[in-house]
């Protein structure tokens, strides 16, 4: 009986909680049945494979607008291809506010560009200039349109906010039921050390990490948590790089605060020594916070196992190595301050986390699903439509060969960025097919989705974004300022 448009048959289904042998029946892009045996006119054979929720990458920079009218080199088309190649079916990317301007115009332009997507998508709105208009008029408007998370930077020129501005954004988020994500590093401390390093002639890429040691991340994380507690606003600390920073978050969580931690594959496999490769090569590994060292990798796994860190996204922020728009935008002799930060990772995220986590016995496969799909979907209001395998959910799946050994190359990443910092890394576990809303969008590495087939994911109110209702003296300052 042609009850289903597609049956995924014979696999081991993995959710964030359970592992079971089951077939999945898909109708009209959604999961219609999960049972021990299903039939249909079209069958995708998952024999010997894991069937997991499609990856949800809630921190990646794709075709982001830059000051001056240019954009990231990773386009919606190339970025979606890379996502699907790596088993990711939904992303949350960033709409940028340029100082002196509002947020409505860049968001409209960004939404126009995203119409080329082949994965489903939503946006975080970056706030760099929290004017009265932005916090009282424009943020309510974008939240009502389903853009329900804000991003702030506590460092980077010209993006960073001071504490007073950060409080304004936290307050606006609280008033509107929006979530806040934070890049935590101390702006003044980094600038002070950078100037000293450059004055001492230490200009090579490796000094990027000397300019921003762990303590600058720890201090800003502590401060961000304290200010969020004052406003009673839930936050996620982005890209935590080491256990000493995660301990700040663990302490907040023990006190019951709604503070979550995200990290990225680079903080489990790259080190500061990678930035010390010959010539300009170290620029390939420059991201912020900076990669730490091997002992930190072990500390990060402890934080994952303790549940302190519960989301792994890519922070894909690709800058081509050999392009005047990329890492060399200020020349091949540029000092570390003038080399753009960020590493690509859309397609590498799931294979690295599966291999380092599940294949090496550090976490079980349900934990892998929680870290890469279920928890990000819950934290950003996409659950239960995304991030799970359940009747009624979107049929976003990745069919996974847990035993396949692959050497990572940039060609396998299928991205516009011309290098991967993970080149040559051996992984065990690989995506063999990606299903996006019931459509087989990638099979054996061949992406077969159409540009424009991705859908915008509007996000309504959801539990993680709700304040706790705990305010100093019971006074809600966010109603007034
Ligand atoms: N750090 C960020 O905060 N964003 C993009 C890239 C990076 O390294
Ligand atoms: Zn950041
Ligand atoms: Zn980022």
């Amino acid at each position: 009986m042609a009850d289903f448009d597609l049956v995924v048959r014979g696999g081991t289904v993995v959710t964030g909680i359970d592992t079971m042998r089951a077939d999945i029946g898909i109708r009209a892009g959604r999961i219609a049945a999960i049972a021990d045996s299903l039939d249909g006119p079209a069958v995708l054979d998952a024999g010997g494979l894991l069937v997991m929720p499609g990856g949800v990458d809630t921190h990646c920079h794709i075709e982001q607008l830059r000051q001056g009218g240019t954009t990231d080199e990773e386009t919606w088309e190339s970025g979606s291809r890379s996502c699907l190649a790596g088993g990711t079916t939904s992303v949350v990317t960033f709409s940028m506010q340029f100082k002196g301007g509002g947020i409505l115009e860049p968001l409209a332009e960004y939404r126009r560009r995203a119409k080329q997507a082949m994965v489903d998508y939503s946006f975080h709105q970056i706030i760099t200039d929290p004017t009265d208009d932005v916090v009282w008029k424009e943020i309510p408007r974008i939240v009502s349109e389903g853009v329900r998370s804000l991003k702030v930077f506590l460092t980077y020129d010209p993006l960073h906010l001071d504490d007073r501005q950060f409080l304004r954004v936290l307050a606006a988020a609280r008033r509107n039921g929006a979530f806040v994500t934070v890049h935590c590093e101390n702006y003044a401390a980094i600038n002070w050390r950078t100037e000293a390093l450059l004055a001492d002639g230490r200009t090579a890429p490796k000094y990027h990490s000397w300019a921003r040691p762990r303590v600058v991340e720890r201090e800003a994380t502590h401060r961000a948590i304290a200010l969020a507690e004052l406003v009673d606003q839930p936050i996620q600390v982005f890209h935590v790089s080491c256990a000493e920073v995660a301990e700040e978050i663990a302490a907040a969580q023990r006190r019951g605060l709604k503070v979550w931690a995200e990290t990225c594959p680079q903080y489990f496999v790259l080190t500061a020594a990678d930035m010390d490769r010959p010539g300009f090569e170290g620029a390939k590994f420059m991201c912020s916070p900076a990669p730490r060292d091997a002992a930190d990798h072990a500390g990060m796994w402890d934080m994952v196992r303790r549940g302190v860190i519960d989301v792994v996204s890519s922070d894909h922020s690709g800058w081509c190595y050999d392009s005047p728009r990329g890492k060399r935008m200020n020349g091949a002799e540029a000092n570390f301050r003038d080399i753009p930060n960020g590493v690509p990772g859309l397609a590498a995220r799931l294979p690295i986390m599966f291999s380092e986590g599940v294949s090496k016995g550090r976490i079980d496969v349900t934990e892998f699903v929680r870290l890469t799909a279920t928890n990000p979907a819950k934290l950003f209001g996409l659950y239960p439509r995304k991030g799970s395998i359940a009747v009624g959910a979107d049929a976003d799946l990745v069919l996974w060969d847990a035993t396949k050994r692959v050497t990572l190359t940039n060609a396998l990443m299928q991205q516009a960025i011309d290098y991967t910092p993970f080149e040559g890394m051996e992984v065990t576990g690989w995506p063999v097919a990606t299903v996006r809303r019931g459509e087989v969008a990638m099979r054996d590495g061949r992406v077969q989705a159409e540009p424009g087939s991705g859908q915008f994911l509007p996000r309504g109110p959801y539990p993680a974004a709700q304040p706790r209702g705990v305010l100093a003296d019971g006074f809600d300052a966010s109603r007034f300022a």
Side-chain angles (χ1 to χ4, degrees), residues 191-256:
N191 282 349
W192 174 69
R193 271 183 76 88
T194 298
E195 282 162 25
L197 286 161
L198 296 180
D200 196 34
R202 298 174 193 264
T203 60
K206 79 167 186 180
Y207 294 110
H208 173 70
S209 79
W210 290 38
R212 46 201 341 125
R214 295 169 189 78
V215 61
V216 306
E217 188 186 349
R218 173 160 54 81
E219 184 281 331
T221 301
H222 183 90
R223 183 162 34 98
I225 291 169
L227 297 182
E229 178 177 358
L230 182 67
V231 178
D232 184 29
Q233 169 58 38
I235 60 168
Q236 187 194 46
V237 177
F238 265 170
H239 41 50
V240 171
S241 72
C242 57
E244 126 176 13
V245 169
E247 285 295 1
E248 294 288 341
I249 295 154
Q253 291 171 344
R254 277 196 298 275
R255 297 208 321 279

Side-chain angles (χ1 to χ4, degrees), residues 59 61 94 151 239 315:
H59 180 172
H61 304 265
F94 296 86
K151 156 90 188 272
H239 41 50
D315 195 7

Side-chain angles (χ1 to χ4, degrees), residues 398-417:
V398 57
L399 276 57
W400 195 270
D401 183 341
T403 59
K404 187 164 176 176
R405 293 168 71 97
V406 173
T407 303
L408 299 186
T409 63
N410 198 47
L412 288 171
M413 301 296 105
Q414 302 199 40
Q415 58 193 9
I417 303 308

Side-chain angles (χ1 to χ4, degrees), residues 306-449:
R306 282 170 55 185
V308 175
I309 294 175
D310 70 346
V311 168
V312 178
S313 54
S314 68
D315 195 7
H316 176 93
S317 177
W319 303 84
C320 283
Y321 184 63
D322 266 324
S323 142
R325 283 174 62 198
K327 292 280 184 186
R328 292 171 204 262
M329 61 164 50
N330 293 308
E333 302 299 317
N335 70 58
F336 71 85
R337 183 175 55 188
D338 296 335
I339 300 171
N341 288 192
V343 295
L346 293 171
R349 181 178 70 114
L350 297 185
I352 291 176
M353 293 314 296
F354 189 92
S355 186
E356 291 295 307
V358 182
S359 303
K360 294 191 176 171
R362 293 177 167 123
I363 55 173
D364 76 14
V365 71
T366 62
E367 174 83 57
F368 169 80
V369 167
R370 289 198 294 280
L371 288 170
T372 57
T374 314
N375 291 343
K378 284 185 175 170
L379 207 53
F380 291 99
L382 299 170
Y383 184 86
R385 181 174 170 190
K386 303 294 186 186
S388 188
I389 297 180
V391 172
D394 280 359
D396 291 346
L397 306 169
V398 57
L399 276 57
W400 195 270
D401 183 341
T403 59
K404 187 164 176 176
R405 293 168 71 97
V406 173
T407 303
L408 299 186
T409 63
N410 198 47
L412 288 171
M413 301 296 105
Q414 302 199 40
Q415 58 193 9
I417 303 308
D418 61 357
Y419 81 97
T420 170
F422 311 114
E423 185 80 31
M425 199 180 145
E426 303 273 342
V427 295
T428 302
W430 193 251
V432 296
T434 305
V435 177
R436 191 225 48 210
R437 273 181 286 104
E439 185 189 338
V440 182
M442 184 281 284
R443 198 164 186 172
D444 295 324
R446 205 163 48 81
V447 173
Q448 46 207 23

Side-chain angles (χ1 to χ4, degrees), residues 137-217:
K137 294 188 189 142
E138 299 187 0
I139 288 176
R141 165 104 175 258
I142 66 164
V143 171
S144 74
E145 291 170 3
V147 176
R148 195 166 278 273
S149 46
L150 308 174
K151 156 90 188 272
V152 301
F153 292 89
L154 301 187
T155 190
Y156 278 140
D157 265 323
L159 308 177
H160 84 284
L161 302 187
D162 63 25
D163 290 353
R164 182 70 183 79
Q165 293 171 313
F166 179 37
L167 284 165
R168 285 194 80 149
V169 175
L170 290 166
R174 190 178 199 279
R175 286 194 298 272
N176 290 282
F179 195 78
V180 174
T181 64
V182 195
H183 179 122
C184 295
E185 289 184 295
N186 182 301
Y187 171 74
I190 292 171
N191 282 349
W192 174 69
R193 271 183 76 88
T194 298
E195 282 162 25
L197 286 161
L198 296 180
D200 196 34
R202 298 174 193 264
T203 60
K206 79 167 186 180
Y207 294 110
H208 173 70
S209 79
W210 290 38
R212 46 201 341 125
R214 295 169 189 78
V215 61
V216 306
E217 188 186 349

